[in-house]
PDB file of all heavy atoms in Angstrom:
ATOM      1  N   ARG A   7    -110.888  49.904  32.936  1.00 55.00           N
ATOM      2  CA  ARG A   7    -110.638  49.608  34.342  1.00 55.00           C
ATOM      3  C   ARG A   7    -109.466  48.734  34.591  1.00 55.00           C
ATOM      4  O   ARG A   7    -108.661  48.766  35.537  1.00 55.00           O
ATOM      5  CB  ARG A   7    -112.031  49.030  34.891  1.00 55.00           C
ATOM      6  CG  ARG A   7    -113.055  49.924  35.013  1.00 55.00           C
ATOM      7  CD  ARG A   7    -114.310  49.357  35.456  1.00 55.00           C
ATOM      8  NE  ARG A   7    -115.441  50.261  35.809  1.00 55.00           N
ATOM      9  CZ  ARG A   7    -116.581  49.958  36.158  1.00 55.00           C
ATOM     10  NH1 ARG A   7    -116.996  48.622  36.235  1.00 55.00           N
ATOM     11  NH2 ARG A   7    -117.486  50.798  36.417  1.00 55.00           N
ATOM     12  N   ARG A   8    -109.365  47.627  33.628  1.00 58.00           N
ATOM     13  CA  ARG A   8    -108.264  46.650  33.731  1.00 58.00           C
ATOM     14  C   ARG A   8    -106.883  47.395  33.649  1.00 58.00           C
ATOM     15  O   ARG A   8    -105.886  47.128  34.227  1.00 58.00           O
ATOM     16  CB  ARG A   8    -108.497  45.584  32.743  1.00 58.00           C
ATOM     17  CG  ARG A   8    -109.603  44.624  33.032  1.00 58.00           C
ATOM     18  CD  ARG A   8    -109.671  43.508  32.150  1.00 58.00           C
ATOM     19  NE  ARG A   8    -110.769  42.639  32.548  1.00 58.00           N
ATOM     20  CZ  ARG A   8    -111.086  41.607  31.835  1.00 58.00           C
ATOM     21  NH1 ARG A   8    -110.507  41.229  30.599  1.00 58.00           N
ATOM     22  NH2 ARG A   8    -111.957  40.671  32.326  1.00 58.00           N
ATOM     23  N   ALA A   9    -106.912  48.386  32.570  1.00 55.00           N
ATOM     24  CA  ALA A   9    -105.540  49.139  32.325  1.00 55.00           C
ATOM     25  C   ALA A   9    -105.243  49.885  33.575  1.00 55.00           C
ATOM     26  O   ALA A   9    -104.101  50.072  33.864  1.00 55.00           O
ATOM     27  CB  ALA A   9    -105.760  50.023  31.194  1.00 55.00           C
ATOM     28  N   ALA A  10    -106.301  50.502  34.132  1.00 54.00           N
ATOM     29  CA  ALA A  10    -105.949  51.394  35.329  1.00 54.00           C
ATOM     30  C   ALA A  10    -105.445  50.367  36.517  1.00 54.00           C
ATOM     31  O   ALA A  10    -104.457  50.924  37.286  1.00 54.00           O
ATOM     32  CB  ALA A  10    -107.263  52.237  35.895  1.00 54.00           C
ATOM     33  N   ALA A  11    -106.013  49.362  36.596  1.00 56.00           N
ATOM     34  CA  ALA A  11    -105.664  48.374  37.760  1.00 56.00           C
ATOM     35  C   ALA A  11    -104.065  47.982  37.476  1.00 56.00           C
ATOM     36  O   ALA A  11    -103.395  47.929  38.300  1.00 56.00           O
ATOM     37  CB  ALA A  11    -106.544  47.201  37.761  1.00 56.00           C
ATOM     38  N   PHE A  12    -103.881  47.621  36.156  1.00 52.00           N
ATOM     39  CA  PHE A  12    -102.462  47.205  35.994  1.00 52.00           C
ATOM     40  C   PHE A  12    -101.445  48.369  36.189  1.00 52.00           C
ATOM     41  O   PHE A  12    -100.503  48.133  36.610  1.00 52.00           O
ATOM     42  CB  PHE A  12    -102.374  46.871  34.355  1.00 52.00           C
ATOM     43  CG  PHE A  12    -101.071  46.552  33.933  1.00 52.00           C
ATOM     44  CD1 PHE A  12    -100.387  45.364  34.202  1.00 52.00           C
ATOM     45  CD2 PHE A  12    -100.313  47.360  33.177  1.00 52.00           C
ATOM     46  CE1 PHE A  12     -99.033  45.180  33.840  1.00 52.00           C
ATOM     47  CE2 PHE A  12     -99.051  47.198  32.871  1.00 52.00           C
ATOM     48  CZ  PHE A  12     -98.457  46.019  33.097  1.00 52.00           C
ATOM     49  N   HIS A  13    -101.848  49.680  35.890  1.00 50.00           N
ATOM     50  CA  HIS A  13    -100.995  50.814  36.048  1.00 50.00           C
ATOM     51  C   HIS A  13    -100.784  50.946  37.622  1.00 50.00           C
ATOM     52  O   HIS A  13     -99.638  51.161  38.045  1.00 50.00           O
ATOM     53  CB  HIS A  13    -101.695  51.934  35.510  1.00 50.00           C
ATOM     54  CG  HIS A  13    -100.876  53.245  35.864  1.00 50.00           C
ATOM     55  ND1 HIS A  13     -99.667  53.609  35.109  1.00 50.00           N
ATOM     56  CD2 HIS A  13    -101.120  54.221  36.761  1.00 50.00           C
ATOM     57  CE1 HIS A  13     -99.101  54.615  35.650  1.00 50.00           C
ATOM     58  NE2 HIS A  13     -99.973  55.210  36.513  1.00 50.00           N
ATOM     59  N   ARG A  14    -101.787  50.768  38.451  1.00 52.00           N
ATOM     60  CA  ARG A  14    -101.571  50.903  39.827  1.00 52.00           C
ATOM     61  C   ARG A  14    -100.551  49.794  40.332  1.00 52.00           C
ATOM     62  O   ARG A  14     -99.815  50.049  41.272  1.00 52.00           O
ATOM     63  CB  ARG A  14    -102.899  50.744  40.594  1.00 52.00           C
ATOM     64  CG  ARG A  14    -103.753  51.977  40.475  1.00 52.00           C
ATOM     65  CD  ARG A  14    -105.007  51.985  41.402  1.00 52.00           C
ATOM     66  NE  ARG A  14    -105.798  50.718  41.150  1.00 52.00           N
ATOM     67  CZ  ARG A  14    -106.887  50.822  40.289  1.00 52.00           C
ATOM     68  NH1 ARG A  14    -107.283  51.848  39.783  1.00 52.00           N
ATOM     69  NH2 ARG A  14    -107.607  49.737  40.298  1.00 52.00           N
ATOM     70  N   ARG A  15    -100.724  48.556  39.866  1.00 53.00           N
ATOM     71  CA  ARG A  15     -99.772  47.553  40.320  1.00 53.00           C
ATOM     72  C   ARG A  15     -98.405  47.720  39.827  1.00 53.00           C
ATOM     73  O   ARG A  15     -97.292  47.625  40.428  1.00 53.00           O
ATOM     74  CB  ARG A  15    -100.393  46.149  39.922  1.00 53.00           C
ATOM     75  CG  ARG A  15    -101.575  45.744  40.529  1.00 53.00           C
ATOM     76  CD  ARG A  15    -101.834  44.294  40.258  1.00 53.00           C
ATOM     77  NE  ARG A  15    -101.964  43.873  38.897  1.00 53.00           N
ATOM     78  CZ  ARG A  15    -103.116  43.910  38.202  1.00 53.00           C
ATOM     79  NH1 ARG A  15    -104.262  44.340  38.877  1.00 53.00           N
ATOM     80  NH2 ARG A  15    -103.091  43.656  36.936  1.00 53.00           N
ATOM     81  N   ALA A  16     -98.254  48.265  38.460  1.00 50.00           N
ATOM     82  CA  ALA A  16     -96.983  48.377  37.911  1.00 50.00           C
ATOM     83  C   ALA A  16     -96.154  49.531  38.237  1.00 50.00           C
ATOM     84  O   ALA A  16     -94.934  49.567  38.162  1.00 50.00           O
ATOM     85  CB  ALA A  16     -97.136  48.249  36.272  1.00 50.00           C
ATOM     86  N   ALA A  17     -96.830  50.633  38.586  1.00 47.00           N
ATOM     87  CA  ALA A  17     -96.182  51.927  38.903  1.00 47.00           C
ATOM     88  C   ALA A  17     -95.220  51.771  39.985  1.00 47.00           C
ATOM     89  O   ALA A  17     -93.997  52.232  39.956  1.00 47.00           O
ATOM     90  CB  ALA A  17     -97.218  53.001  39.193  1.00 47.00           C
ATOM     91  N   PRO A  18     -95.525  51.152  41.118  1.00 47.00           N
ATOM     92  CA  PRO A  18     -94.522  51.105  42.239  1.00 47.00           C
ATOM     93  C   PRO A  18     -93.351  50.192  41.773  1.00 47.00           C
ATOM     94  O   PRO A  18     -92.197  50.526  42.133  1.00 47.00           O
ATOM     95  CB  PRO A  18     -95.374  50.351  43.335  1.00 47.00           C
ATOM     96  CG  PRO A  18     -96.756  50.637  43.015  1.00 47.00           C
ATOM     97  CD  PRO A  18     -96.870  50.685  41.566  1.00 47.00           C
ATOM     98  N   LEU A  19     -93.605  49.118  40.977  1.00 44.00           N
ATOM     99  CA  LEU A  19     -92.559  48.383  40.528  1.00 44.00           C
ATOM    100  C   LEU A  19     -91.492  49.186  39.629  1.00 44.00           C
ATOM    101  O   LEU A  19     -90.321  49.204  39.717  1.00 44.00           O
ATOM    102  CB  LEU A  19     -93.016  47.246  39.727  1.00 44.00           C
ATOM    103  CG  LEU A  19     -93.839  46.158  40.533  1.00 44.00           C
ATOM    104  CD1 LEU A  19     -94.373  45.088  39.686  1.00 44.00           C
ATOM    105  CD2 LEU A  19     -92.962  45.606  41.760  1.00 44.00           C
TER     106      LEU A  19
END
Side-chain angles (χ1 to χ4, degrees):
R7 286 179 177 176
R8 289 182 177 179
F12 173 79
H13 176 75
R14 285 194 299 271
R15 291 194 301 270
L19 298 176

